Amino acid sequence: MDNIQISKMTILDLESISNTLLSDFDDFWTISIFKSELQNPNSKYLVAKLNNQIVGFGGIWKSPDDIHITNIVVNKNFRRQNIGTIILSHLINLSKKENITSITLEVSSTNIPAQKLYEKLGFKKVGLRKKYYNNTNDAIIMTMEVSNEKK
């Protein structure tokens, strides 16, 4: 989708994503958590907009040598249109500008489309967290190695 605009998430965006959080994502990520995240200097969040409507978002946490992708969410009505790929690509590019060695994430063992997306962009499965999601679904840990040179 060429008409997707990616921008930094702001406090004003939180009202727009509140319904998506409730309907399209797990119960951990709340508006109050996002408010805290937007004030955290080690966190960065992006929104994907189509015709000025937020259709997806994603974020990262930075530690000294690693970036952790915290979430990528696409509104259910806009899935399978490469919006997740666009968000993930922007998060990877944002991450590569930092002096890091790897990017990691967790994905539900039942979320096959997300696993395929991550693999397509260079992530490899490196571990498993048993019953990570709501004490039921396992999380697959995936990592992408990053060149040490700052870009």
Side-chain angles (χ1 to χ4, degrees):
M1 289 196 122
D2 293 336
N3 45 356
I4 294 291
Q5 300 294 314
I6 301 292
S7 59
K8 183 179 174 183
M9 183 185 283
T10 68
I11 289 286
L12 296 175
D13 293 327
L14 295 181
E15 186 175 320
S16 296
I17 69 168
S18 64
N19 288 338
T20 301
L21 281 176
L22 293 173
S23 64
D24 300 353
F25 206 50
D26 61 42
D27 56 3
F28 175 77
W29 292 93
T30 64
I31 295 300
S32 63
I33 288 175
F34 273 108
K35 284 180 183 175
S36 296
E37 286 298 299
L38 291 179
Q39 295 173 8
N40 180 346
N42 294 315
S43 297
K44 294 184 178 160
Y45 286 83
L46 303 175
V47 293
K49 293 181 181 178
L50 176 64
N51 299 325
N52 244 6
Q53 174 190 358
I54 296 175
V55 295
F57 56 90
I60 58 174
W61 286 333
K62 183 180 186 311
S63 66
D65 61 355
D66 177 66
I67 294 284
H68 183 83
I69 295 180
T70 58
N71 52 38
I72 296 174
V73 180
V74 176
N75 182 296
K76 286 181 181 173
N77 297 328
F78 292 92
R79 290 185 182 164
R80 304 207 184 286
Q81 298 180 43
N82 286 327
I83 296 169
T85 302
I86 293 167
I87 295 168
L88 180 57
S89 295
H90 275 81
L91 292 173
I92 290 169
N93 290 337
L94 188 64
S95 299
K96 286 181 174 180
K97 292 178 182 174
E98 303 290 337
N99 190 22
I100 59 163
T101 58
S102 63
I103 304 170
T104 60
L105 57 85
E106 288 100 8
V107 60
S108 175
S109 59
T110 62
N111 192 343
I112 304 304
Q115 291 173 46
K116 289 181 186 231
L117 167 63
Y118 301 139
E119 288 173 340
K120 179 175 87 174
L121 291 181
F123 286 84
K124 295 185 177 13
K125 295 177 182 177
V126 295
L128 187 72
R129 296 188 202 282
K130 293 281 189 183
K131 297 185 177 185
Y132 184 75
Y133 295 104
N134 295 323
N135 207 25
T136 54
N137 291 340
D138 296 342
I140 297 171
I141 303 166
M142 300 183 79
T143 298
M144 170 191 280
E145 299 301 317
V146 177
S147 164
N148 233 357
E149 68 183 65
K150 208 168 184 173
K151 300 192 172 141

